[in-house]
Amino acid sequence: MTGLRVLAVDDELPALEDLAYLLRDDPRIGEVSLARDGAAALRVLDRAIADGKPIDAVFLDIRMRGLDGVVLGRLLSQFANPPRVVFVTAYEEHAVDAFEIKAEDYLLKPVRPERLAEAIRRVCVSAELPDSDTAGRTDPGTIPVELGGVTRFVAGTEVRYVEAQGDYARLHTAGGSHLVRISLATLEERWSSAGFVRVHRSHLVAVKHIDELHIDSGRCVVRIGETEIPVSRRHTRELRDLLVRRARKGRSE
């Protein structure tokens, strides 16, 4: 593995140097470039593209002088081949913005080495680079959930199914449910490669959590735990074929 080419951006020099040290200490990182503000970050990115060595990931502070991290993240998402973005910030309230920008991760300062290692792992998965912990897997990442003014990050792997509620979505896990400000269509797009499928205009399910599929008098439902979820007629055949293929694959292994 050649190693990831990454850019760290922070207008506070001590924080930037600490982050650079942690990044260089990870064997999956090949090159680390630094920038003190958004404009400098764009210059580094443009130069890297011109040199034929584009940046793989940007580790980006949010509250900076001039061009802040959220605005810069949105600009990066418009690149023809955008770098992966990991936000590194002292503030929780921008987590929803980060998810909408499709950031790979959202780290809170002070950065713990194990959380940074997990963020690098997510970047490797997204970039389809070899990684000892991620070979052959996809990861739905995390999603920010507001609970009484506190942001909690729920792992997509914990979600069993998702239910649309207007412009919001309710995530159902083994431990309860969480209402998040995001559309079901957006979650379907982001999580389709991680084993989530649309079974109804108002439901998205994690295939691995389906316990049973019932078809009776043309009506199809799936059971996840104690919950039965309707499957629309247009999704029934696709879902049934998918479950059959998974069962055959399991027997062959």
Short mmCIF file of all heavy atoms in Angstrom, two decimals, residues 106-173:
data_model
loop_
_atom_site.label_atom_id
_atom_site.label_comp_id
_atom_site.label_asym_id
_atom_site.label_seq_id
_atom_site.Cartn_x
_atom_site.Cartn_y
_atom_site.Cartn_z
N TYR A 106 -16.61 12.35 12.05
CA TYR A 106 -16.72 13.61 12.77
C TYR A 106 -16.05 13.40 14.11
O TYR A 106 -16.59 12.73 15.00
CB TYR A 106 -18.21 13.95 12.93
CG TYR A 106 -18.51 15.35 13.42
CD1 TYR A 106 -18.79 16.37 12.52
CD2 TYR A 106 -18.58 15.64 14.78
CE1 TYR A 106 -19.12 17.65 12.96
CE2 TYR A 106 -18.90 16.91 15.23
CZ TYR A 106 -19.17 17.91 14.32
OH TYR A 106 -19.49 19.17 14.76
N LEU A 107 -14.84 13.94 14.27
CA LEU A 107 -14.05 13.74 15.47
C LEU A 107 -14.11 14.96 16.36
O LEU A 107 -14.03 16.09 15.88
CB LEU A 107 -12.58 13.45 15.11
CG LEU A 107 -12.31 12.33 14.11
CD1 LEU A 107 -10.81 12.15 13.92
CD2 LEU A 107 -12.95 11.03 14.56
N LEU A 108 -14.24 14.73 17.65
CA LEU A 108 -14.25 15.82 18.61
C LEU A 108 -12.88 15.97 19.25
O LEU A 108 -12.23 14.99 19.60
CB LEU A 108 -15.31 15.56 19.69
CG LEU A 108 -16.77 15.64 19.21
CD1 LEU A 108 -17.71 15.25 20.35
CD2 LEU A 108 -17.11 17.03 18.69
N LYS A 109 -12.45 17.24 19.40
CA LYS A 109 -11.19 17.52 20.08
C LYS A 109 -11.40 17.42 21.59
O LYS A 109 -12.48 17.72 22.09
CB LYS A 109 -10.71 18.93 19.73
CG LYS A 109 -10.41 19.16 18.26
CD LYS A 109 -10.01 20.63 18.04
CE LYS A 109 -9.69 20.92 16.60
NZ LYS A 109 -9.37 22.35 16.38
N PRO A 110 -10.37 17.03 22.33
CA PRO A 110 -9.07 16.54 21.85
C PRO A 110 -9.22 15.17 21.19
O PRO A 110 -9.96 14.32 21.68
CB PRO A 110 -8.22 16.47 23.13
CG PRO A 110 -9.23 16.27 24.23
CD PRO A 110 -10.45 17.02 23.82
N VAL A 111 -8.51 14.99 20.08
CA VAL A 111 -8.64 13.78 19.29
C VAL A 111 -7.97 12.60 19.99
O VAL A 111 -6.79 12.67 20.36
CB VAL A 111 -8.02 13.97 17.89
CG1 VAL A 111 -8.12 12.68 17.08
CG2 VAL A 111 -8.72 15.11 17.16
N ARG A 112 -8.74 11.53 20.17
CA ARG A 112 -8.16 10.31 20.75
C ARG A 112 -7.56 9.46 19.62
O ARG A 112 -8.18 9.31 18.56
CB ARG A 112 -9.23 9.52 21.49
CG ARG A 112 -9.75 10.22 22.74
CD ARG A 112 -10.79 9.40 23.47
NE ARG A 112 -12.06 9.38 22.76
CZ ARG A 112 -12.64 8.29 22.27
NH1 ARG A 112 -12.05 7.12 22.39
NH2 ARG A 112 -13.80 8.36 21.65
N PRO A 113 -6.38 8.91 19.82
CA PRO A 113 -5.74 8.13 18.76
C PRO A 113 -6.62 7.01 18.21
O PRO A 113 -6.63 6.75 17.00
CB PRO A 113 -4.48 7.58 19.44
CG PRO A 113 -4.18 8.58 20.51
CD PRO A 113 -5.50 9.06 21.00
N GLU A 114 -7.39 6.35 19.09
CA GLU A 114 -8.22 5.24 18.61
C GLU A 114 -9.36 5.74 17.73
O GLU A 114 -9.76 5.07 16.78
CB GLU A 114 -8.77 4.42 19.78
CG GLU A 114 -9.65 5.16 20.76
CD GLU A 114 -8.88 5.80 21.91
OE1 GLU A 114 -7.66 6.06 21.75
OE2 GLU A 114 -9.50 6.03 22.96
N ARG A 115 -9.90 6.93 18.01
CA ARG A 115 -10.94 7.47 17.14
C ARG A 115 -10.37 7.93 15.81
O ARG A 115 -11.00 7.77 14.75
CB ARG A 115 -11.64 8.66 17.83
CG ARG A 115 -12.74 8.25 18.77
CD ARG A 115 -13.91 7.57 18.06
NE ARG A 115 -14.71 8.53 17.30
CZ ARG A 115 -14.92 8.46 15.99
NH1 ARG A 115 -14.39 7.49 15.26
NH2 ARG A 115 -15.68 9.34 15.38
N LEU A 116 -9.17 8.50 15.84
CA LEU A 116 -8.53 8.88 14.58
C LEU A 116 -8.24 7.65 13.74
O LEU A 116 -8.45 7.65 12.51
CB LEU A 116 -7.24 9.64 14.85
CG LEU A 116 -6.47 10.11 13.60
CD1 LEU A 116 -7.32 11.08 12.78
CD2 LEU A 116 -5.16 10.76 13.99
N ALA A 117 -7.80 6.56 14.38
CA ALA A 117 -7.54 5.32 13.66
C ALA A 117 -8.81 4.79 13.00
O ALA A 117 -8.78 4.30 11.86
CB ALA A 117 -6.96 4.27 14.60
N GLU A 118 -9.96 4.93 13.68
CA GLU A 118 -11.22 4.49 13.11
C GLU A 118 -11.61 5.37 11.92
O GLU A 118 -12.10 4.88 10.90
CB GLU A 118 -12.32 4.55 14.18
CG GLU A 118 -13.74 4.34 13.67
CD GLU A 118 -13.99 2.99 13.04
OE1 GLU A 118 -13.16 2.07 13.22
OE2 GLU A 118 -15.02 2.84 12.35
N ALA A 119 -11.36 6.68 12.03
CA ALA A 119 -11.66 7.57 10.91
C ALA A 119 -10.81 7.23 9.69
O ALA A 119 -11.30 7.23 8.55
CB ALA A 119 -11.42 9.03 11.33
N ILE A 120 -9.54 6.91 9.92
CA ILE A 120 -8.66 6.52 8.81
C ILE A 120 -9.15 5.22 8.18
O ILE A 120 -9.11 5.04 6.96
CB ILE A 120 -7.20 6.40 9.30
CG1 ILE A 120 -6.68 7.78 9.73
CG2 ILE A 120 -6.30 5.80 8.21
CD1 ILE A 120 -5.35 7.74 10.46
N ARG A 121 -9.63 4.31 9.02
CA ARG A 121 -10.19 3.06 8.51
C ARG A 121 -11.37 3.33 7.59
O ARG A 121 -11.50 2.73 6.51
CB ARG A 121 -10.61 2.15 9.67
CG ARG A 121 -11.07 0.76 9.22
CD ARG A 121 -11.64 -0.02 10.39
NE ARG A 121 -12.94 0.48 10.79
CZ ARG A 121 -14.08 0.20 10.15
NH1 ARG A 121 -14.05 -0.57 9.07
NH2 ARG A 121 -15.22 0.68 10.58
N ARG A 122 -12.24 4.26 7.99
CA ARG A 122 -13.40 4.60 7.17
C ARG A 122 -12.97 5.20 5.83
O ARG A 122 -13.57 4.92 4.79
CB ARG A 122 -14.30 5.59 7.91
CG ARG A 122 -14.97 5.02 9.15
CD ARG A 122 -15.90 6.05 9.77
NE ARG A 122 -16.37 5.61 11.07
CZ ARG A 122 -17.35 4.74 11.27
NH1 ARG A 122 -17.96 4.23 10.21
NH2 ARG A 122 -17.72 4.39 12.48
N VAL A 123 -11.94 6.03 5.87
CA VAL A 123 -11.42 6.60 4.63
C VAL A 123 -10.89 5.50 3.72
O VAL A 123 -11.13 5.50 2.51
CB VAL A 123 -10.32 7.65 4.92
CG1 VAL A 123 -9.61 8.06 3.63
CG2 VAL A 123 -10.91 8.87 5.62
N CYS A 124 -10.17 4.54 4.29
CA CYS A 124 -9.65 3.42 3.50
C CYS A 124 -10.78 2.63 2.85
O CYS A 124 -10.69 2.24 1.68
CB CYS A 124 -8.81 2.50 4.37
SG CYS A 124 -7.21 3.17 4.87
N VAL A 125 -11.87 2.40 3.59
CA VAL A 125 -13.02 1.68 3.04
C VAL A 125 -13.62 2.47 1.89
O VAL A 125 -13.89 1.93 0.81
CB VAL A 125 -14.08 1.44 4.14
CG1 VAL A 125 -15.38 0.92 3.52
CG2 VAL A 125 -13.57 0.46 5.17
N SER A 126 -13.84 3.77 2.10
CA SER A 126 -14.45 4.61 1.07
C SER A 126 -13.58 4.70 -0.17
O SER A 126 -14.08 4.69 -1.30
CB SER A 126 -14.69 6.00 1.64
OG SER A 126 -15.25 6.85 0.67
N ALA A 127 -12.26 4.77 0.04
CA ALA A 127 -11.34 4.89 -1.09
C ALA A 127 -10.99 3.54 -1.71
O ALA A 127 -10.23 3.47 -2.67
CB ALA A 127 -10.06 5.59 -0.64
N GLU A 128 -11.54 2.46 -1.11
CA GLU A 128 -11.29 1.10 -1.58
C GLU A 128 -9.81 0.78 -1.57
O GLU A 128 -9.28 0.14 -2.48
CB GLU A 128 -11.88 0.88 -2.97
CG GLU A 128 -13.39 1.04 -3.01
CD GLU A 128 -13.98 0.78 -4.37
OE1 GLU A 128 -13.21 0.68 -5.34
OE2 GLU A 128 -15.20 0.68 -4.47
N LEU A 129 -9.14 1.22 -0.50
CA LEU A 129 -7.73 0.90 -0.31
C LEU A 129 -7.61 -0.27 0.66
O LEU A 129 -8.46 -0.46 1.53
CB LEU A 129 -6.99 2.11 0.28
CG LEU A 129 -6.88 3.33 -0.63
CD1 LEU A 129 -6.25 4.48 0.12
CD2 LEU A 129 -6.07 3.00 -1.86
N PRO A 130 -6.56 -1.10 0.51
CA PRO A 130 -6.40 -2.24 1.40
C PRO A 130 -6.19 -1.80 2.84
O PRO A 130 -5.49 -0.84 3.12
CB PRO A 130 -5.16 -2.96 0.85
CG PRO A 130 -4.42 -1.93 0.09
CD PRO A 130 -5.46 -1.01 -0.47
N ASP A 131 -6.82 -2.50 3.75
CA ASP A 131 -6.67 -2.22 5.17
C ASP A 131 -6.93 -3.52 5.90
O ASP A 131 -7.90 -4.21 5.63
CB ASP A 131 -7.67 -1.15 5.61
CG ASP A 131 -7.56 -0.80 7.07
OD1 ASP A 131 -8.01 -1.59 7.92
OD2 ASP A 131 -7.00 0.26 7.36
N SER A 132 -6.08 -3.87 6.83
CA SER A 132 -6.17 -5.17 7.49
C SER A 132 -7.49 -5.37 8.20
O SER A 132 -7.94 -6.49 8.39
CB SER A 132 -5.02 -5.32 8.51
OG SER A 132 -5.09 -4.30 9.49
N ASP A 133 -8.15 -4.28 8.62
CA ASP A 133 -9.38 -4.41 9.36
C ASP A 133 -10.62 -4.32 8.49
O ASP A 133 -11.73 -4.53 8.96
CB ASP A 133 -9.48 -3.30 10.42
CG ASP A 133 -8.41 -3.43 11.48
OD1 ASP A 133 -8.05 -4.57 11.79
OD2 ASP A 133 -7.93 -2.40 11.98
N THR A 134 -10.48 -3.98 7.19
CA THR A 134 -11.65 -3.66 6.40
C THR A 134 -11.80 -4.47 5.13
O THR A 134 -12.74 -4.27 4.38
CB THR A 134 -11.61 -2.17 5.98
OG1 THR A 134 -10.44 -1.95 5.18
CG2 THR A 134 -11.57 -1.26 7.19
N ALA A 135 -10.90 -5.38 4.85
CA ALA A 135 -10.95 -6.12 3.59
C ALA A 135 -12.29 -6.82 3.43
O ALA A 135 -12.74 -7.53 4.31
CB ALA A 135 -9.82 -7.14 3.55
N GLY A 136 -12.92 -6.60 2.27
CA GLY A 136 -14.16 -7.30 1.95
C GLY A 136 -15.38 -6.76 2.65
O GLY A 136 -16.43 -7.37 2.60
N ARG A 137 -15.28 -5.61 3.32
CA ARG A 137 -16.43 -5.09 4.05
C ARG A 137 -16.78 -3.69 3.57
O ARG A 137 -15.95 -2.97 3.05
CB ARG A 137 -16.14 -5.02 5.55
CG ARG A 137 -15.98 -6.35 6.21
CD ARG A 137 -16.10 -6.16 7.70
NE ARG A 137 -15.11 -5.22 8.19
CZ ARG A 137 -15.18 -4.64 9.38
NH1 ARG A 137 -16.18 -4.89 10.16
NH2 ARG A 137 -14.23 -3.81 9.77
N THR A 138 -18.04 -3.31 3.79
CA THR A 138 -18.44 -1.91 3.67
C THR A 138 -19.00 -1.48 5.01
O THR A 138 -19.43 -2.32 5.80
CB THR A 138 -19.50 -1.72 2.57
OG1 THR A 138 -20.62 -2.56 2.87
CG2 THR A 138 -18.94 -2.08 1.21
N ASP A 139 -18.99 -0.20 5.27
CA ASP A 139 -19.37 0.30 6.57
C ASP A 139 -20.32 1.47 6.39
O ASP A 139 -19.98 2.43 5.71
CB ASP A 139 -18.10 0.74 7.33
CG ASP A 139 -18.37 1.02 8.79
OD1 ASP A 139 -19.48 1.49 9.11
OD2 ASP A 139 -17.47 0.79 9.61
N PRO A 140 -21.52 1.43 6.99
CA PRO A 140 -22.44 2.54 6.83
C PRO A 140 -22.04 3.77 7.62
O PRO A 140 -22.67 4.83 7.50
CB PRO A 140 -23.77 1.97 7.35
CG PRO A 140 -23.36 0.92 8.33
CD PRO A 140 -22.09 0.32 7.76
N GLY A 141 -21.01 3.67 8.45
CA GLY A 141 -20.56 4.82 9.22
C GLY A 141 -21.48 5.12 10.38
O GLY A 141 -22.24 4.28 10.84
N THR A 142 -21.42 6.36 10.86
CA THR A 142 -22.26 6.78 11.98
C THR A 142 -23.20 7.89 11.54
O THR A 142 -23.00 8.52 10.51
CB THR A 142 -21.39 7.30 13.14
OG1 THR A 142 -20.61 8.41 12.67
CG2 THR A 142 -20.46 6.21 13.66
N ILE A 143 -24.22 8.12 12.35
CA ILE A 143 -25.17 9.20 12.06
C ILE A 143 -25.41 9.97 13.35
O ILE A 143 -25.61 9.37 14.41
CB ILE A 143 -26.48 8.63 11.47
CG1 ILE A 143 -27.41 9.77 11.04
CG2 ILE A 143 -27.18 7.70 12.42
CD1 ILE A 143 -28.57 9.32 10.18
N PRO A 144 -25.37 11.31 13.31
CA PRO A 144 -25.57 12.10 14.52
C PRO A 144 -27.03 12.14 14.93
O PRO A 144 -27.93 12.34 14.11
CB PRO A 144 -25.06 13.49 14.12
CG PRO A 144 -25.25 13.54 12.64
CD PRO A 144 -25.04 12.14 12.14
N VAL A 145 -27.28 11.95 16.22
CA VAL A 145 -28.63 11.96 16.77
C VAL A 145 -28.67 12.94 17.93
O VAL A 145 -27.82 12.90 18.82
CB VAL A 145 -29.02 10.54 17.27
CG1 VAL A 145 -30.35 10.58 18.00
CG2 VAL A 145 -29.08 9.57 16.10
N GLU A 146 -29.66 13.84 17.93
CA GLU A 146 -29.80 14.82 19.00
C GLU A 146 -30.66 14.25 20.12
O GLU A 146 -31.78 13.80 19.89
CB GLU A 146 -30.45 16.10 18.46
CG GLU A 146 -29.67 16.80 17.37
CD GLU A 146 -28.38 17.42 17.89
OE1 GLU A 146 -28.32 17.72 19.09
OE2 GLU A 146 -27.44 17.59 17.08
N LEU A 147 -30.12 14.24 21.33
CA LEU A 147 -30.84 13.75 22.50
C LEU A 147 -30.74 14.79 23.61
O LEU A 147 -29.72 14.91 24.26
CB LEU A 147 -30.25 12.41 22.98
CG LEU A 147 -30.39 11.22 22.04
CD1 LEU A 147 -29.60 10.04 22.56
CD2 LEU A 147 -31.86 10.84 21.90
N GLY A 148 -31.82 15.56 23.81
CA GLY A 148 -31.83 16.54 24.87
C GLY A 148 -30.71 17.55 24.77
O GLY A 148 -30.13 17.94 25.79
N GLY A 149 -30.41 18.00 23.56
CA GLY A 149 -29.36 18.98 23.37
C GLY A 149 -27.96 18.41 23.28
O GLY A 149 -26.99 19.14 23.10
N VAL A 150 -27.84 17.10 23.39
CA VAL A 150 -26.54 16.43 23.29
C VAL A 150 -26.52 15.58 22.02
O VAL A 150 -27.50 14.90 21.71
CB VAL A 150 -26.28 15.53 24.52
CG1 VAL A 150 -24.97 14.77 24.35
CG2 VAL A 150 -26.26 16.37 25.79
N THR A 151 -25.44 15.65 21.27
CA THR A 151 -25.31 14.87 20.05
C THR A 151 -24.67 13.52 20.35
O THR A 151 -23.58 13.46 20.92
CB THR A 151 -24.46 15.60 19.00
OG1 THR A 151 -25.04 16.88 18.73
CG2 THR A 151 -24.40 14.81 17.70
N ARG A 152 -25.36 12.46 19.99
CA ARG A 152 -24.82 11.12 20.12
C ARG A 152 -24.64 10.55 18.72
O ARG A 152 -25.42 10.86 17.82
CB ARG A 152 -25.79 10.22 20.91
CG ARG A 152 -25.29 8.79 21.03
CD ARG A 152 -26.38 7.87 21.56
NE ARG A 152 -25.99 6.47 21.44
CZ ARG A 152 -26.84 5.45 21.42
NH1 ARG A 152 -28.13 5.66 21.52
NH2 ARG A 152 -26.40 4.23 21.29
N PHE A 153 -23.61 9.72 18.53
CA PHE A 153 -23.35 9.14 17.22
C PHE A 153 -23.74 7.66 17.23
O PHE A 153 -23.17 6.86 17.97
CB PHE A 153 -21.88 9.32 16.84
CG PHE A 153 -21.51 10.76 16.67
CD1 PHE A 153 -21.02 11.50 17.74
CD2 PHE A 153 -21.71 11.39 15.46
CE1 PHE A 153 -20.71 12.83 17.59
CE2 PHE A 153 -21.40 12.73 15.31
CZ PHE A 153 -20.90 13.45 16.38
N VAL A 154 -24.75 7.34 16.44
CA VAL A 154 -25.25 5.97 16.35
C VAL A 154 -24.58 5.28 15.16
O VAL A 154 -24.60 5.80 14.05
CB VAL A 154 -26.78 5.95 16.19
CG1 VAL A 154 -27.28 4.53 15.97
CG2 VAL A 154 -27.45 6.57 17.41
N ALA A 155 -24.01 4.12 15.40
CA ALA A 155 -23.37 3.37 14.32
C ALA A 155 -24.44 2.80 13.40
O ALA A 155 -25.44 2.23 13.86
CB ALA A 155 -22.51 2.25 14.90
N GLY A 156 -24.22 2.95 12.09
CA GLY A 156 -25.17 2.40 11.13
C GLY A 156 -25.33 0.90 11.27
O GLY A 156 -26.40 0.35 10.97
N THR A 157 -24.29 0.21 11.74
CA THR A 157 -24.37 -1.23 11.92
C THR A 157 -25.35 -1.63 13.01
O THR A 157 -25.79 -2.78 13.07
CB THR A 157 -22.98 -1.80 12.27
OG1 THR A 157 -22.43 -1.06 13.38
CG2 THR A 157 -22.03 -1.70 11.09
N GLU A 158 -25.72 -0.67 13.89
CA GLU A 158 -26.69 -0.96 14.95
C GLU A 158 -28.13 -0.84 14.46
O GLU A 158 -29.06 -1.32 15.11
CB GLU A 158 -26.51 0.01 16.12
CG GLU A 158 -25.18 -0.09 16.84
CD GLU A 158 -25.08 0.95 17.96
OE1 GLU A 158 -26.13 1.55 18.30
OE2 GLU A 158 -23.98 1.16 18.46
N VAL A 159 -28.32 -0.18 13.32
CA VAL A 159 -29.68 0.10 12.84
C VAL A 159 -30.27 -1.13 12.17
O VAL A 159 -29.65 -1.72 11.27
CB VAL A 159 -29.66 1.29 11.85
CG1 VAL A 159 -31.06 1.55 11.29
CG2 VAL A 159 -29.12 2.54 12.54
N ARG A 160 -31.47 -1.51 12.60
CA ARG A 160 -32.15 -2.67 12.02
C ARG A 160 -33.07 -2.27 10.87
O ARG A 160 -33.12 -2.93 9.86
CB ARG A 160 -32.96 -3.38 13.11
CG ARG A 160 -32.09 -3.99 14.20
CD ARG A 160 -32.92 -4.75 15.20
NE ARG A 160 -32.08 -5.54 16.09
CZ ARG A 160 -32.52 -6.54 16.84
NH1 ARG A 160 -33.80 -6.87 16.81
NH2 ARG A 160 -31.70 -7.21 17.62
N TYR A 161 -33.80 -1.20 11.07
CA TYR A 161 -34.62 -0.67 9.97
C TYR A 161 -34.88 0.80 10.22
O TYR A 161 -34.67 1.33 11.32
CB TYR A 161 -35.94 -1.45 9.82
CG TYR A 161 -36.91 -1.35 10.96
CD1 TYR A 161 -37.95 -0.43 10.95
CD2 TYR A 161 -36.81 -2.19 12.07
CE1 TYR A 161 -38.86 -0.34 11.99
CE2 TYR A 161 -37.71 -2.11 13.12
CZ TYR A 161 -38.73 -1.19 13.07
OH TYR A 161 -39.63 -1.10 14.11
N VAL A 162 -35.30 1.49 9.16
CA VAL A 162 -35.54 2.92 9.20
C VAL A 162 -36.95 3.19 8.71
O VAL A 162 -37.39 2.61 7.71
CB VAL A 162 -34.53 3.69 8.33
CG1 VAL A 162 -34.72 5.20 8.51
CG2 VAL A 162 -33.10 3.29 8.65
N GLU A 163 -37.64 4.08 9.40
CA GLU A 163 -39.03 4.41 9.06
C GLU A 163 -39.12 5.90 8.73
O GLU A 163 -38.66 6.75 9.49
CB GLU A 163 -39.91 4.08 10.26
CG GLU A 163 -41.37 4.35 10.09
CD GLU A 163 -42.14 4.04 11.36
OE1 GLU A 163 -41.51 3.71 12.39
OE2 GLU A 163 -43.39 4.12 11.31
N ALA A 164 -39.70 6.22 7.58
CA ALA A 164 -39.85 7.62 7.20
C ALA A 164 -40.94 8.28 8.03
O ALA A 164 -42.01 7.70 8.26
CB ALA A 164 -40.21 7.72 5.71
N GLN A 165 -40.66 9.50 8.48
CA GLN A 165 -41.66 10.30 9.19
C GLN A 165 -41.57 11.74 8.68
O GLN A 165 -40.85 12.57 9.23
CB GLN A 165 -41.43 10.24 10.70
CG GLN A 165 -41.68 8.85 11.28
CD GLN A 165 -41.71 8.81 12.79
OE1 GLN A 165 -41.36 9.78 13.46
NE2 GLN A 165 -42.13 7.69 13.34
N GLY A 166 -42.27 12.00 7.58
CA GLY A 166 -42.21 13.31 6.95
C GLY A 166 -40.82 13.58 6.41
O GLY A 166 -40.26 12.76 5.66
N ASP A 167 -40.24 14.72 6.78
CA ASP A 167 -38.89 15.07 6.35
C ASP A 167 -37.82 14.45 7.25
O ASP A 167 -36.63 14.71 7.06
CB ASP A 167 -38.71 16.60 6.34
CG ASP A 167 -39.59 17.27 5.30
OD1 ASP A 167 -39.88 16.62 4.27
OD2 ASP A 167 -39.99 18.43 5.51
N TYR A 168 -38.27 13.63 8.21
CA TYR A 168 -37.35 13.00 9.15
C TYR A 168 -37.34 11.49 8.92
O TYR A 168 -38.13 10.94 8.14
CB TYR A 168 -37.78 13.28 10.60
CG TYR A 168 -37.57 14.71 11.04
CD1 TYR A 168 -38.38 15.73 10.56
CD2 TYR A 168 -36.57 15.04 11.94
CE1 TYR A 168 -38.20 17.05 10.96
CE2 TYR A 168 -36.38 16.35 12.36
CZ TYR A 168 -37.19 17.36 11.87
OH TYR A 168 -37.00 18.64 12.27
N ALA A 169 -36.42 10.83 9.61
CA ALA A 169 -36.36 9.37 9.57
C ALA A 169 -36.17 8.87 10.99
O ALA A 169 -35.43 9.47 11.77
CB ALA A 169 -35.22 8.89 8.67
N ARG A 170 -36.83 7.78 11.32
CA ARG A 170 -36.67 7.18 12.64
C ARG A 170 -35.82 5.91 12.51
O ARG A 170 -36.20 4.98 11.79
CB ARG A 170 -38.01 6.85 13.29
CG ARG A 170 -37.86 6.30 14.72
CD ARG A 170 -39.19 6.24 15.45
NE ARG A 170 -39.74 7.56 15.71
CZ ARG A 170 -39.36 8.34 16.72
NH1 ARG A 170 -38.38 7.95 17.54
NH2 ARG A 170 -39.93 9.52 16.89
N LEU A 171 -34.68 5.91 13.18
CA LEU A 171 -33.77 4.77 13.15
C LEU A 171 -34.14 3.82 14.28
O LEU A 171 -34.22 4.23 15.44
CB LEU A 171 -32.32 5.22 13.34
CG LEU A 171 -31.82 6.40 12.51
CD1 LEU A 171 -30.37 6.71 12.86
CD2 LEU A 171 -31.96 6.11 11.03
N HIS A 172 -34.36 2.57 13.95
CA HIS A 172 -34.71 1.57 14.96
C HIS A 172 -33.51 0.65 15.21
O HIS A 172 -32.99 0.02 14.28
CB HIS A 172 -35.91 0.74 14.49
CG HIS A 172 -37.18 1.53 14.42
ND1 HIS A 172 -38.09 1.60 15.46
CD2 HIS A 172 -37.69 2.31 13.42
CE1 HIS A 172 -39.11 2.37 15.11
NE2 HIS A 172 -38.89 2.81 13.86
N THR A 173 -33.08 0.59 16.45
CA THR A 173 -31.99 -0.30 16.86
C THR A 173 -32.53 -1.27 17.90
O THR A 173 -33.70 -1.17 18.32
CB THR A 173 -30.82 0.50 17.47
OG1 THR A 173 -31.25 1.08 18.71
CG2 THR A 173 -30.37 1.62 16.53
#
